[in-house]
Amino acid sequence: MTTPHFSVVVPVYNAGAALEATVHSVLAQTETDFDLWLIDDGSTDDSLARMRKLSESDERIRVVSKANGGVASARNTGAELSSGRYIAFLDADDMWHPEKLAQHRAFHARAPQAGCSFARIAFLEPGNDDLHAAKTFSAGYADMVPISEVLGENPVCTGSNIVVSRACFEAVGGFKAGMNYAEDQEWLARVVGQGFALAGIDAVLVGYRMSPGGLSSNLEAMYAGWRTLAGEYAGVADFDHATAEALYCRYLSRRALRNGASAVQALRFALAGVSRDAKAFFGDARRGGLTLAGALFGLMLPAPVRVRLFA
């Protein structure tokens, strides 16, 4: 069997109707040298049946069913079973631009020193699967990312944005099993900490579907997970805990505004970031200023209006 250039790994847990669009965004790639691993993580809905039906349409699709162990465990299973020279991760409710794999292949050919790469993200409102119609995009990062950025306002943003060489993945090891919040940051910190280059591609190649359901509790869990992770890097050179926390709180505040979560929660994150390190929070004056202003004015607006204004 020929080794594919990419193995795409999609962890699936109760993904429902979003799964088809996610899979089709992979099958629509202009780069066709890949196989696609759908890892069912003990779903209790019809996700596994949907996966098996999808696999009938394309021989590159592999379906694996396992007991529930969390997103880190599912990603690791797919990475271990696959054989592609590069591993590309995609969550079951996100999607890719058709040029995603092609641009990463070209990038790694130009920059073989990069063990891991990522691109920019379009934040998609419910009902919109058009990356070009998104209102908000992640910032571009066309450079090598230091550990301070990984542990601060992580420019990778989501596991759906990670493409890694198999050599890098095997050297660093898998995602931390049982860690379902900040698990991608924890893994990326190990990538950079072990001397592998993490590099950005300044192109919008990932669509992140926003959903307000359960977001407030998720943001709190993300913050708790981040604090645990940051504590492990106390005393590490080039890592300032207060600066990183200020940037991460700014990120959480923006995410709360963007997704229609609690306005009070968005403001609380913004104020926490300012109090931890105001200089870092406003280091990007436009980003910091708009975040704080959005959190303040968001208190006076209903959630749907906040989403339209700040998405």
Side-chain angles (χ1 to χ4, degrees):
M1 182 181 294
T2 303
T3 299
H5 194 79
F6 292 99
S7 284
V8 180
V9 175
V10 180
V12 181
Y13 178 72
N14 292 351
L19 181 62
E20 277 84 356
T22 298
V23 169
H24 288 312
S25 80
V26 178
L27 299 180
Q29 293 294 300
T30 58
E31 167 61 62
T32 60
D33 188 7
F34 67 84
D35 56 13
L36 171 56
W37 293 78
L38 304 179
I39 311 299
D40 180 65
D41 190 38
S43 296
T44 57
D45 66 355
D46 64 347
S47 291
L48 183 57
R50 290 174 182 268
M51 293 158 64
R52 287 172 173 159
K53 184 175 181 179
L54 285 164
S55 71
E56 296 172 358
S57 66
D58 196 301
E59 63 181 5
R60 293 172 295 181
I61 299 177
R62 317 280 195 268
V63 176
V64 176
S65 180
K66 61 182 285 296
N68 180 258
V71 64
S73 172
R75 286 180 186 150
N76 291 343
T77 296
E80 291 163 4
L81 291 175
S82 64
S83 61
R85 290 185 285 277
Y86 286 84
I87 307 165
F89 295 100
L90 174 62
D91 290 344
D93 54 353
D94 293 332
M95 60 193 310
W96 283 345
H97 186 282
E99 291 290 321
K100 168 74 172 174
L101 295 181
Q103 291 218 30
H104 281 271
R105 182 167 188 166
F107 175 81
H108 282 276
R110 296 192 306 270
Q113 76 277 16
C116 186
S117 62
F118 64 98
R120 295 181 63 197
I121 296 172
F123 295 96
L124 305 177
E125 296 179 72
N128 173 39
D129 283 347
D130 183 358
L131 274 64
H132 299 291
K135 295 180 180 178
T136 305
F137 304 88
S138 64
Y141 204 105
D143 203 350
M144 303 300 176
V145 184
I147 197 166
S148 58
E149 290 286 340
V150 170
L151 294 173
E153 197 169 21
N154 175 20
V156 181
C157 293
T158 172
S160 297
N161 204 8
I162 294 172
V163 175
V164 58
S165 71
R166 183 162 297 277
C168 176
F169 188 87
E170 291 178 349
V172 172
F175 294 87
K176 191 172 182 179
M179 187 177 186
N180 295 322
Y181 293 97
E183 82 290 336
D184 51 346
Q185 276 183 289
E186 190 278 333
W187 182 81
L188 289 164
R190 276 189 280 133
V191 167
V192 176
Q194 293 186 31
F196 290 94
L198 168 64
I201 299 173
D202 192 11
V204 177
L205 300 176
V206 178
Y208 178 89
R209 290 195 184 97
M210 299 187 296
S211 173
L215 183 67
S216 293
S217 59
N218 286 348
L219 291 178
E220 295 296 342
M222 288 172 63
Y223 193 24
W226 182 90
R227 288 196 297 265
T228 299
L229 171 60
E232 297 176 2
Y233 285 83
V236 172
D238 300 324
F239 175 62
D240 185 297
H241 192 290
T243 295
E245 188 165 2
L247 295 177
Y248 194 70
C249 284
R250 187 176 70 183
Y251 161 73
L252 292 176
S253 180
R254 292 175 67 84
R255 183 161 178 166
L257 289 168
R258 195 160 55 217
N259 286 39
S262 163
V264 172
Q265 185 182 46
L267 180 60
R268 186 169 60 79
F269 282 132
L271 293 177
V274 172
S275 67
R276 287 297 285 152
D277 188 335
K279 183 178 179 180
F281 190 93
F282 295 109
D284 181 330
R286 181 178 183 278
R287 196 172 186 84
L290 288 176
T291 301
L292 182 57
L296 287 167
F297 286 109
L299 294 171
M300 298 178 283
L301 301 171
V305 176
R306 290 200 306 273
V307 170
R308 286 197 296 272
L309 289 176
F310 303 118

